[in-house]
Structures are given as C-alpha cells and as structure tokens.
Amino acid sequence: MKISSIFPLALASLLLPATVIADDGVMDKALLDEAKLLADSGLHYLRQTQAEDGSWSSSVGVTALGLRAFLENRRGYTEGDGPFITRPVKFLLNHVNEDGSISETNQNRNYNTAVAITALQATNNPAYAEIIANAQRYIHKLQLDSEEGYEPDHKYYGGIGYGGDERPDLSNIYHSIEAMKITGFDANDPMWEKALTFISRSQNNSETNDQEWASNDGGFAYMPGYSPHGGTVSYGSMTAAGLLSLLYAGADKNDPRVKAAYDWIRANYTVETNPGAKKNQGLFYYYNAFAKTMRAYGEKDLVDAQGVSHNWREDLTRQLKGMQSKDGSWVNNDSPRWWEGDKNLCTAWSVIALNQVINK
Amino acid sequence: MRRSGIKTVWYLLWILAGSELLATTLPMALPEGECRWLLATLCLTSALVLLYSRGSEPPLAPGQLQSALLAGLGVLAVLTWHLPVTYIATHSLHFQLALGVGILVFSAGGLIQLLTRFTDDPPFSSWMIFCLAVLLASAPLWTGPAVDLIPSPLWGTNLIIAFSPLSYLASLAEWDYLRGEWFYRHSPFGGLRYEYPSAAIASIVYVGIGLVSRYLANLLNRPSATTDARAGISQATP
C-alpha cells in the first residue's frame, strides 16, 4: 500500500485551519450553535482546573490534549492569547527528555510523546520543529521490526507499545501514526507499511488478516488476538481508531479493510455507548476517535445496516449535551478504566470531538 | 566451616539450576525486556523457596547476607547467560536487577528471623513470609475487580503497586510489567493510571526492613529452635 494512494480531500481536511466552520448545511444550525456552546463551556472548565504551571492532571498526556482542545477550537486560540496557552506549552517543553520523548513518566511515553507533538504542531510555531523532529525519531524507534527481533510474520511486527514495555496495541499505534501524520513525517518511510501490517492484524477480517483468530465482522480488537471485552471481540473505540489509522497509514475508501471497518460502524452505530465494550469502558475515547474518524471519512450522514440515515454530528452533539455536568465538564461515570475517571481528560476529549463536529 | 562451604555451593547450584530450568522453558517469543524481568522474578522465587527449605537449619544469622549475595549472583549469572550484553544499558540493568533480588532476599531473611522469634518455628516463618510475598506480588490480580469500581483509584492503585515486590523489580528493570501482555490480559491495572515506586526509595525501604527486622529479632532474642539447632551444630563440629 503506497502512501500516494491516500485520498487527499478527506485527510487534508484534518489539517485545515480550525476556523472553517461546519455551517453550510452539514448539520442543523441550532445544534451547531449548541455544539459551540458545549465546547466553550468545556474550555471554560479546563481554564478553571488548569494548574499554575499550565498543566492538567499533572500529566503530559492530559495537558497536551487540553492544549489541543484550545488550539483546534473554532476561536483559533494561539500562544498570543496568553498564559493559558503558553504555560501548557512550556509544561510540555519542560518534559522533553534526552531520547526525544516528551513525558513525565517512564510509562505512557509513547502516548505522551504522540499527543504532545500533535499539540505542539497545532501551535504552528516553527520554534518547536526540532523538538517535534526528535520526538518523531523517538516514536519511529519504538516501532517493532526485525531490528528488535520481530520478523514480518510475528504478530507484534509493525506495532508500537506504551514505551515502558514492548507489547504493542492498536491504541498506541493509532496515536503514534496520527502524530506522525499531523506533524508531517516522511510519507515514503517504511514505517507506514509496517504499521499497516500491524493494524490489519488487529482487525476481525479474515480476508486481509493472516492471523488464525480473525473472524469477519470487520471491527477491530485491541491488539492481534486480544480484546479487553472478551476474546477477540470488536468494539467501537478500537474500530474507530483502527479505521482512522488505516486512513492515516495510506489506505483509501476502496480498500477492503476500510470498507469492512466502516460496515462494522454502520452495523453497530450508536453514540450512547461504546459499542461492544463492557460497562461503557473507554466511552470518551470512543467519542474522540469516532468524531475524528467520521470527519476524516468525509460523509455527512451515515446509513446504518438497517438503512436508517444518521447525521453523526447532530447525534454526537445531543449525546454530549446530555452528559455534560453543570460545571462544563464530562466524566465517565460508568468506569474509570483508561483514566476516564479524570474530568480533565474526558472534557479535553469531548471538546476535541466537538471541534470535529463544528469544524467542516 | 567445610560443611558451611558445601551448603553454600549446594545453595548456589540450586538457585542456578532452578532458574536455568525455568528460563529455558520460557517461550522464545517473549520480548527481551519481559524476559529479563521474568528471569529475575524466577530467581527471586527460587531464592525464597530455598530460604524456606533452609528454615529448619541455622543459616539466617550470617546467612541473611549470604543468601542475598548468592541470590543476586544467581540472577546476574542467569541474565548474562541468557541475554547477552549488547549495550551498556542492558549491562547496567542486569546489575540493578541482581542487586534488587539480593535486597529482597535480605529483607525476607530479616522478616523470617523476626517472625521466628514469635513462632519458634523457622519453617513455618519462612512459609509465612513466602506466602506474604506471593500475596503482595499478586495483588494487582486479586484486587483488580474492586479497583475497577473505584471512580478515582490513583492513590489506591499506587499503594497496591508499591507493596508488590514485582513492582520493585519492574522499576529496576525499567519494565512496565502491568502493561505486558500477560498482566494486561489478567488485571485491569494496565488500563488505570499509576506510578511505580522509585527504585532508590524502595531499595532503602527493603534494606531498612531487613535491618530493622534483624535488630528486633536480636532484641527479642528468645530461645528458639534456630538457636538450639545452631548450638547443636557448633557442639557437633570439632
């Protein structure tokens, strides 16, 4: 699969300035205004909970997501707007390590580095180019291949893990390649092809997955041969992440893997739960990945397996409106798994999702 | 003296043989980092089992340090044998792990002595400490369902992780074992926010436990089977 086969319009839309608003009929005007208000109140909450050093939850990852929520908002915040933007940037820069990673901890180094450079890129400040390039090299080095003893037939091949261990998973590689894509990493690097191998092996699609466990619903598990929700079951957050990863890595809408993943989303369409997940685990991760994926896929409406048409922007806006607390925050009341007991994280993810809804 | 030397060699051989046997049965697909960490854990387990098996003998007074040194050397030998040193970081990690296993054995030895002052039964004390170590090490597995229900479990998860000797070894090995494949599949901890304890602080704590336990054991100094047995051996030795 060549990177040149990327369908340019859908992916280019991800890189457009955040101020191109979805006001030309892609969703109901009243709901668009609601989405803007929801995002504003979410950002207001984040302003209130921001620490003196600019961080959220004392975490590089949460801080980077909070920063991204501001920088990609339709209001077009920049570093010129004040300390609420410059301080979190400084917090990220203060956690740049010698190996190029950006993290306050040895765990989560890949996640932290990936979301940190995505946020730094969103500042459009060329002063961070070297830091971003070093972080790209760090992420690139994390990818498992023959250099680490993983040959192409190994289920780990092409994957990327947390950085504190070698066990790769789809969520980590999704964040990694999103960061690499957004920060403009070399499109001809073999990394993309290797990533596609790993992503394909996480999909329940025996036509394109050479692993014996693969079934045929088209959805994605957490990693080859394992789902935290039982066996190798497909679920919403990973299927959205898997589909977006395929698009980032160079697959197009005609690719059988993309078609199968989209069909899974059609068959399991909902914004009320993270479909397929136990106890609604990873619900806000799902909203975030789902919104980005649907925007990248470029369809205004999604027709589900029963033939019912859904405007995903409107559905997600209504759902997030119903879940927002009076203080403007969101939190997963069903399960703290994947850090979703943290209001700052859930709020940042919700605002980023709303930014996808609002921005064309 | 000669008898003690033979026992020492016997002890070392058992540690090496046990670790080696387990090491060779590890699946070859294991990542190097996980392999290193697992080997150290296996050596530690072997050493603790051997501490237990020697519980009825009198090795624990001078033997506490001796056992720790031997366990550490055993780890170093097995790691170096199985994972060739290819870069300086690996070399350093091997030493760190060996030191960690030695410190844990030293700490366990002290606790066994202290407990024996109350039980007058060294094998039973050894067994109790071994069970305690297993209980703490497996806490991320058996506390998982409860921790998964707590809305903001950061403090609780960190505490459970800090008390596990495996976490100490993980810190030294720079290996996030809770997100390794096996633990990730069997415990919810990998999906929660947590921090491993600082290796330096944990080392001080474990050495402290070993020294304080030893001191208290000496302070209590009740006549015990250990003392009796030691007296018996020294009388029997010409």
Side-chain angles (χ1 to χ4, degrees), chain B residues 12-52:
Chain B
L12 179 61
L13 284 174
W14 264 107
I15 288 182
L16 285 172
S19 307
E20 184 59 25
L21 181 69
L22 291 165
T24 47
T25 59
L26 285 175
M28 294 310 290
L30 276 181
E32 188 177 297
E34 187 158 306
C35 196
R36 181 184 301 118
W37 177 84
L38 267 173
L39 284 172
T41 307
L42 293 172
C43 289
L44 173 67
T45 310
S46 307
L48 287 175
V49 169
L50 281 162
L51 267 180
Y52 164 68

Side-chain angles (χ1 to χ4, degrees), chain B residues 61-133:
Chain B
Q64 184 184 358
L65 190 58
Q66 183 191 45
S67 305
L69 282 171
L70 288 175
L73 285 172
V75 171
L76 199 58
V78 172
L79 287 179
T80 307
W81 190 347
H82 278 276
L83 300 171
V85 175
T86 51
Y87 57 99
I88 190 71
T90 309
H91 206 43
S92 158
L93 285 180
H94 287 184
F95 274 108
Q96 287 177 37
L97 270 172
L99 183 68
V101 169
I103 285 174
L104 284 173
V105 171
F106 179 80
S107 178
L111 286 170
I112 291 169
Q113 283 185 69
L114 179 60
L115 196 58
T116 301
R117 293 292 179 265
F118 296 97
T119 62
D120 280 344
D121 187 348
F124 178 72
S125 303
S126 303
W127 180 237
M128 288 293 287
I129 296 302
F130 179 70
C131 287
L132 179 67

Side-chain angles (χ1 to χ4, degrees), chain A residues 174-194:
Chain A
Y174 149 59
H175 280 92
S176 303
I177 64 173
E178 178 182 56
M180 297 297 244
K181 185 76 190 174
I182 286 175
T183 58
F185 187 70
D186 180 7
N188 296 315
D189 192 277
M191 183 206 80
W192 303 102
E193 197 63 42
K194 291 175 192 171

Side-chain angles (χ1 to χ4, degrees), chain A residues 169-237:
Chain A
D169 59 73
L170 183 61
S171 181
N172 268 293
I173 201 158
Y174 149 59
H175 280 92
S176 303
I177 64 173
E178 178 182 56
M180 297 297 244
K181 185 76 190 174
I182 286 175
T183 58
F185 187 70
D186 180 7
N188 296 315
D189 192 277
M191 183 206 80
W192 303 102
E193 197 63 42
K194 291 175 192 171
L196 272 175
T197 302
F198 182 80
I199 296 162
S200 303
R201 284 180 173 154
S202 302
Q203 188 175 22
N204 273 306
N205 189 29
S206 61
E207 183 191 341
T208 54
N209 185 348
D210 61 7
Q211 304 288 295
E212 284 181 7
W213 59 269
S215 63
N216 276 312
D217 64 16
F220 280 80
Y222 178 69
M223 59 184 285
Y226 174 67
S227 168
H229 307 295
T232 57
V233 67
S234 304
Y235 57 108
S237 46

